[in-house]
Amino acid sequence: MQSLTLANGREIPQLGYGVYTMTSAEVEKHLPEAIAAGYTHIDTANAYFNEVAVGRAVKASGMRREDLFITTKLFPQSYPYEQCSVDIDASLERLGTDYVDLMLFHQPYGDYVEGWRAMEEAVDAGKARAIGLSNFPVHKVEQILEVARIKPAVIQVEINPYWNQHALKKALAERGLADAVFEGWYPLGHGDEALLAEPVFRELAEKYGKTPAQVVLRWHIQEGNVVFPTSRNPEHMAENIDIFDFALTEDEMARIDALPQHCYYTVPEEPPAFVLARNDYSKQA
């Protein structure tokens, strides 16, 4: 496993295990399989309604807390300052831990500017080792930077070879976030068969004795991205993590970077209806 260094000096494993769309039962079945396969970075969220199951699976794994990197996220209903402090504590309680390694604002809506102070206070109190933003466009990141005492250490967005986010990385570097680590969700392009069938991936897979998906994940690693592919299949888990025994050349990286760019998902400027509904995240089995 390779790691990157966050702005606060802490290490973040580059390849993690995501539990998005998983039920609690699926988490308790498959997260231990992922940990056994060598995954130490776990990505969840209060809106996934499986933090309790993540906490149980982590406890059952027997792993020392300090050997795991746990990320969770707060949905916009949690952003108002007073509510944010309460909901940070609630996530920690559901996860069964005194701290998370990374706490993110999940969606760019609501009182995120006001709530950022509560996130900073969570860092001060040792409840979050690092804080960051998920799905925030440049102009909303700028609003955070205008008030931030602690800058976002992580920016989580859609990243894949069809949407490499080079422009976003450049824009945020120009705004003082050159040391931010980028995390890519859906790193294999939403399961797009056309992406994995690109000639460059078929060719490089044959050259290195890997699958096209492994080549894509290797590209992410060399791009400096953190990724957490979701899998319920132990064989795929093992394949996804088996990407540290080869390296793409500069020319090969450039060929991948030259693929035509288009995003799969555009974050709406105004919040979708499901974001506005208040959810009781305590109701988790």
Side-chain angles (χ1 to χ4, degrees):
M1 180 60 65
Q2 292 180 196
S3 297
L4 299 174
T5 302
L6 297 172
N8 61 9
R10 297 185 181 275
E11 299 292 307
I12 180 171
Q14 270 194 276
L15 190 64
Y17 186 72
V19 297
Y20 176 56
T21 74
M22 285 192 181
T23 65
S24 293
E26 288 174 325
V27 168
E28 292 197 67
K29 177 181 180 181
H30 297 300
L31 180 52
E33 295 170 344
I35 292 173
Y39 293 83
T40 58
H41 180 174
I42 304 161
D43 181 271
T44 185
N46 62 7
Y48 297 171
F49 281 90
N50 57 24
E51 287 176 309
V52 170
V54 168
R56 285 198 297 256
V58 165
K59 184 177 181 180
S61 75
M63 291 282 288
R64 298 187 307 168
R65 176 65 185 87
E66 57 267 32
D67 292 333
L68 293 172
F69 190 104
I70 299 176
T71 297
T72 196
K73 314 177 195 75
L74 299 177
F75 225 46
Q77 299 93 334
S78 299
Y79 296 172
Y81 173 74
E82 298 293 343
Q83 189 65 46
C84 193
S85 299
V86 171
D87 286 0
I88 288 170
D89 288 343
S91 273
L92 296 181
E93 183 176 355
R94 287 191 293 270
L95 287 164
T97 183
D98 294 331
Y99 70 95
V100 289
D101 298 274
L102 176 62
M103 179 83 69
L104 301 175
F105 276 172
H106 200 163
Q107 296 285 349
Y109 310 114
D111 298 325
Y112 48 85
V113 173
E114 178 187 1
W116 191 252
R117 179 161 54 97
M119 295 278 273
E120 293 173 325
E121 290 172 357
V123 174
D124 296 337
K127 297 177 181 180
R129 297 285 173 83
I131 51 178
L133 302 170
S134 176
N135 297 310
F136 274 62
V138 172
H139 68 284
K140 293 187 176 182
V141 176
E142 287 179 321
Q143 292 172 351
I144 295 287
L145 293 177
E146 287 174 0
V147 302
R149 174 171 53 88
I150 300 175
K151 294 180 180 180
V154 168
I155 302 295
Q156 184 185 106
V157 288
E158 175 188 352
I159 309 178
N160 59 73
Y162 279 164
W163 197 238
N164 58 39
Q165 295 287 14
H166 288 180
L168 177 63
K169 292 179 179 181
K170 182 176 183 292
L172 292 183
E174 292 171 349
R175 288 159 175 79
L177 286 180
D179 56 356
V181 167
F182 279 76
E183 293 186 337
W185 51 259
Y186 276 13
L188 299 176
H190 298 239
D192 186 351
E193 294 182 3
L195 174 63
L196 296 181
E198 285 282 354
V200 64
F201 296 125
R202 292 198 309 248
E203 175 189 324
L204 294 177
E206 183 176 353
K207 173 182 176 180
Y208 291 108
K210 297 293 183 178
T211 67
Q214 287 173 312
V215 174
V216 172
L217 292 175
R218 182 65 207 182
W219 169 83
H220 277 287
I221 296 301
Q222 292 181 221
E223 279 275 295
N225 301 330
V226 173
V227 292
F228 25 83
T230 297
S231 177
R232 296 165 175 80
N233 184 323
E235 291 184 5
H236 290 166
M237 293 178 197
E239 282 185 359
N240 289 342
I241 207 170
D242 184 24
I243 58 172
F244 298 102
D245 59 351
F246 76 107
L248 303 172
T249 67
E250 289 186 10
D251 286 345
E252 290 164 349
M253 290 290 290
R255 287 179 60 195
I256 297 171
D257 289 340
L259 288 172
Q261 296 292 292
H262 64 84
C263 64
Y264 289 92
Y265 176 72
T266 299
V267 178
E269 181 66 24
E270 298 299 324
F274 74 90
V275 174
L276 299 177
R278 176 68 193 176
N279 293 305
D280 186 353
Y281 300 116
S282 66
K283 294 180 179 179
Q284 299 186 24

